[in-house]
């Protein structure tokens, strides 16, 4: 548990924040024979400051240069260990809460894990970051190579989070009419975001084909796209659980022009079908 009132925690948090505001050149130091905390902490800082140099030193090295942040090290004015919250990585992630909230949000789960494992406590997560480092060492990767692999995971997770936020904002611009959202072919958005805004069906037509996705809320009401099987047969796929109807997909693209339906025809069928369910549900509750 983070001891936010601990003076050393506040001092280390300030070191991280101050270092992030410095102009280049800056550098990041950690100990040789990196463990998960050292590797992922350095990788995160490298993602935040791409031009920073990386230095691997003895674990008992003293680092006093204010332009160098000494991660998972104990000696020197620039040392940041993160003992009060469990890990240096956890401390850096906490520092990002007030600087870049998406970075904090997407990495706080990993921070919680390292706060446990780096303190010698058991973690129930299915994928343990420390296991990645063990595997990379088994592949005879050394410090720099391990940090590079960790960087790929960190950078990818941050990019995925920011794209997720972008798609969530885009979803708000898509019109939902009679419970149906039609996604333009040049727009990338998650169906879940549209469902949270009130859609029951999401319709798409793109280079991958045509599709309709049904919300969990609609499924729980007994509505299933499998009811449309007699209409959509040749070349069409209906998921056994009834939430998806598609002609092609990102995993198996098809030319939507060969589906047998224009987008207007497809939409009209779906609209008529879902409207009939709305009327039935309204009558049954009256």
């Amino acid at each position: 548990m983070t001891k936010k009132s601990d003076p050393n925690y506040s001092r280390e948090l300030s070191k991280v924040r101050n270092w992030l505001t410095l102009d280049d050149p800056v550098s990041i130091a950690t100990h040789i024979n990196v463990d998960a905390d050292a590797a992922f902490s350095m990788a995160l800082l490298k993602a935040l400051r791409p031009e920073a140099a990386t230095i691997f030193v003895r674990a008992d090295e003293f680092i006093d240069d204010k332009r160098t942040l000494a991660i998972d090290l104990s000696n020197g004015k620039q040392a940041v260990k993160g003992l009060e919250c469990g890990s240096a990585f956890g401390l850096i992630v906490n520092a990002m809460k007030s600087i870049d909230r998406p970075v904090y949000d997407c990495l706080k789960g990993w921070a919680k894990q390292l706060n446990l494992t780096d303190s010698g406590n058991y973690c129930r997560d299915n994928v343990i970051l420390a296991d990645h480092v063990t595997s990379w060492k088994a592949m005879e990767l050394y410090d720099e190579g391990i940090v590079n692999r960790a960087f790929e995971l960190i950078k990818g997770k941050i990019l995925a989070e920011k794209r997720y936020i972008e798609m969530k904002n885009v979803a708000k611009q898509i019109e939902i009419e009679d419970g149906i959202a039609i996604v333009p072919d040049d727009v990338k958005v998650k169906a879940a975001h549209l469902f949270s805004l009130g859609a029951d069906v999401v319709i798409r037509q793109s280079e991958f084909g045509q599709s309709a996705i049904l919300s969990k809320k609609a499924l729980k009401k007994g509505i299933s796209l499998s009811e449309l099987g007699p209409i959509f047969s040749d070349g069409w796929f209906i998921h056994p659980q009834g939430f998806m109807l598609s002609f092609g997909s990102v995993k198996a693209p098809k030319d939507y022009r060969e589906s047998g339906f224009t987008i207007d025809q497809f939409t009209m069928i779906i609209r008529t079908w879902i409207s009939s369910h709305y009327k039935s549900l309204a009558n049954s509750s009256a």
Side-chain angles (χ1 to χ4, degrees):
M1 182 176 179
T2 303
K3 302 173 184 176
K4 294 184 178 179
S5 59
D6 190 293
N8 192 54
Y9 172 79
S10 299
R11 281 194 295 270
E12 290 195 333
L13 207 62
S14 294
K15 287 180 192 178
V16 173
R17 288 172 176 161
N18 290 340
W19 180 85
L20 287 169
T21 64
L22 295 176
D23 294 330
D24 290 327
V26 293
S27 57
I28 312 158
T30 195
H31 57 78
I32 55 176
N33 192 22
V34 294
D35 55 14
D37 193 23
F40 281 90
S41 294
M42 180 173 273
L44 173 53
L45 291 173
K46 188 68 175 173
L48 299 172
R49 295 296 302 269
E51 301 303 318
T54 53
I55 308 167
F56 299 94
V57 300
R58 291 169 51 95
D60 57 0
E61 188 84 8
F62 281 77
I63 305 290
D64 293 325
D65 182 358
K66 70 175 184 178
R67 307 196 71 79
T68 300
L69 195 61
I71 295 300
D72 201 27
L73 294 171
S74 301
N75 298 326
K77 296 177 182 178
Q78 288 299 99
V80 172
K81 190 72 175 171
L83 294 176
E84 290 71 30
C85 63
S87 69
F89 183 80
L91 181 82
I92 299 166
V93 172
N94 286 348
M96 296 309 298
K97 187 174 184 178
S98 60
I99 300 172
D100 192 331
R101 188 58 188 248
V103 171
Y104 169 80
D105 286 340
C106 74
L107 294 177
K108 62 184 178 182
W110 285 7
K112 182 178 179 181
Q113 179 189 121
L114 275 174
N115 288 345
L116 292 171
T117 59
D118 203 55
S119 300
N121 295 313
Y122 178 70
C123 178
R124 296 179 180 274
D125 290 0
N126 290 330
V127 179
I128 306 299
L129 298 180
D131 288 347
H132 285 315
V133 174
T134 300
S135 298
W136 293 329
K137 287 185 177 181
M139 293 172 64
E140 298 186 353
L141 291 179
Y142 296 99
D143 293 334
E144 186 174 358
I146 290 170
V147 170
N148 287 340
R149 290 291 179 90
F151 173 83
E152 291 173 358
L153 292 178
I154 291 282
K155 189 66 175 179
K157 195 163 180 64
I158 292 173
L159 288 174
E161 177 69 14
K162 293 189 174 181
R163 287 172 185 166
Y164 177 87
I165 293 171
E166 288 174 5
M167 287 190 288
K168 193 171 184 179
N169 290 330
V170 168
K172 297 175 183 178
Q173 310 303 317
I174 296 176
E175 182 180 1
I176 299 173
E177 184 179 352
D178 299 327
I180 297 175
I182 303 173
V183 181
D185 61 5
D186 60 342
V187 171
K188 294 186 181 298
V189 65
K190 287 185 174 292
H193 292 154
L194 293 165
F195 294 149
S196 69
L197 295 171
D200 277 325
V201 185
V202 174
I203 293 175
R204 303 176 194 263
Q205 177 174 284
S206 70
E207 60 184 308
F208 304 110
Q210 289 176 342
S211 68
I213 307 293
L214 192 64
S215 71
K216 289 182 179 180
K217 183 179 71 173
L219 284 170
K220 288 179 180 178
K221 292 178 180 178
I223 304 174
S224 172
L225 283 164
S226 59
E227 300 165 14
L228 298 174
I231 301 174
F232 300 93
S233 54
D234 188 24
W236 284 80
F237 169 77
I238 300 178
H239 194 279
Q241 294 182 1
F243 68 84
M244 181 172 64
L245 168 67
S246 68
F247 183 85
S249 68
V250 293
K251 296 179 181 179
K254 290 184 179 181
D255 187 341
Y256 65 81
R257 290 168 294 190
E258 298 176 0
S259 71
F261 303 90
T262 66
I263 187 62
D264 290 339
Q265 291 171 333
F266 184 46
T267 301
M268 182 184 68
I269 293 170
I270 298 297
R271 191 182 301 280
T272 302
W273 167 76
I274 197 70
S275 294
S276 68
H277 274 291
Y278 288 157
K279 289 177 183 178
S280 295
L281 289 170
N283 290 334
S284 64
S285 61

